[in-house]
């Protein structure tokens, strides 16, 4: 699908042949990763549910609704958000973040069982040498945690996405070991995380192609997610590059809220994906969504 050019505009952007890309899915991190900014207010549950309704109205595919392993308050909010999806018959899918340890996966399985809402379990673990150095982790430790946690989640009936934190600064052979372990343990998606916004668009394409080739080599029916940050200002550009290289789901947070300089701006990503013809969405509710997040999170929309 391509946007029909306006008769008064010659658009050089659409003058070249664009390679076919997979259908772009979107994962909204506003209610989890977006709230990790120290400058952002965490909204009460009624405002979180209102934000979830805005996501659903825009046709966002999935949303991360929290990390229930962080404590009872977060777990209770996650359960209420899951019940809202069920009670209001929202079409958006839910997922939850979890460290790659069994203790973080248990509450996700319990909330799934109590609500009847299928919640994707998104297990994350640091993968880069600098992260291993900072934490005192060995590659064998990472492999063991990955295998045990994902096998446990799959046994609980959860769909699992395996996230390697700081993927864009990680050694390829260590990534090969971790992704192979995760896929063999039952992960159905893997997520390349540009955790500190290090990747350029070319770098995003390179690493997605590497992971895609590994998955093809394994013959596994596994999809690729891209989770970007905007520390270098490449959030949207790298996300689109990742899509063109083979990622099928892109992450972002409304107004770009999140750690440090923030996550990829989901609102800006949405606009560009529609203008480039990669998705077909009615964005008439986008302004209201951005305003709702600004109010709930006490984030100022820049006057420009």
């Amino acid at each position: 699908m391509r946007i029909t050019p306006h008769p008064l505009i010659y658009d050089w952007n659409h003058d070249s042949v664009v390679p076919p890309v997979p259908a772009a899915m979107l994962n909204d991190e506003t209610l989890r990763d977006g709230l990790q900014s120290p400058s952002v207010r965490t909204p009460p549950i009624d405002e979180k549910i209102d934000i979830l309704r805005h996501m659903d109205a825009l046709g966002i595919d999935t949303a991360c609704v929290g990390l229930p392993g962080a404590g009872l308050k977060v777990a209770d909010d996650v359960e209420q958000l899951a019940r809202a999806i069920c009670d209001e018959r929202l079409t958006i899918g839910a997922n939850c973040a979890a460290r790659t340890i069994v203790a973080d996966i248990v509450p996700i399985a319990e909330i799934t069982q109590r609500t009847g809402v299928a919640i994707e379990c998104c297990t994350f673990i640091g993968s880069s040498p600098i992260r291993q150095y900072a934490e005192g982790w060995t590659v064998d430790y990472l492999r063991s945690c990955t295998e045990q946690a994902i096998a446990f989640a799959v046994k609980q009936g959860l769909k699992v996405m395996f996230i390697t934190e700081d993927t864009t600064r990680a050694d390829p052979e260590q990534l090969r070991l971790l992704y192979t372990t995760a896929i063999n343990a039952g992960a159905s998606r893997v997520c390349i995380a540009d955790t500190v916004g290090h990747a350029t668009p070319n770098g995003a394409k390179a690493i997605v192609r590497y992971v895609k080739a590994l998955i093809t080599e394994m013959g596994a029916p596994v999809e690729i997610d891209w989770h970007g940050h905007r520390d270098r200002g490449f959030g949207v550009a790298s996300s689109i590059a990742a899509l063109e290289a083979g990622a099928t789901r892109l992450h972002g947070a409304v107004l770009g809220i999140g750690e440090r300089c923030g996550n990829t701006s989901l609102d800006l990503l949405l606009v560009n994906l529609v203008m480039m013809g990669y998705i077909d969405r009615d964005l008439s509710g986008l302004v209201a969504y951005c305003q709702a997040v600004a109010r709930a999170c006490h984030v100022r929309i820049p006057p420009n």
Side-chain angles (χ1 to χ4, degrees), residues 43-51 73 76-81:
I45 186 59
D46 59 327
E47 293 179 350
K48 284 185 176 182
I49 291 173
D50 181 59
I51 288 170
K73 174 63 171 67
D76 183 61
D77 279 9
V78 167
E79 183 159 342
Q80 291 194 60
L81 287 162

Side-chain angles (χ1 to χ4, degrees), residues 227-241:
H227 177 97
H229 283 254
R230 54 181 189 155
D231 298 68
R232 295 180 66 181
F234 288 128
V236 171
S238 290
S239 295
I240 293 170

Side-chain angles (χ1 to χ4, degrees), residues 157-169:
L158 299 174
K159 183 178 179 182
V160 179
M161 176 171 69
F162 176 63
I163 306 165
T164 46
E165 287 186 301
D166 205 14
T167 324
T168 53
R169 299 191 297 176

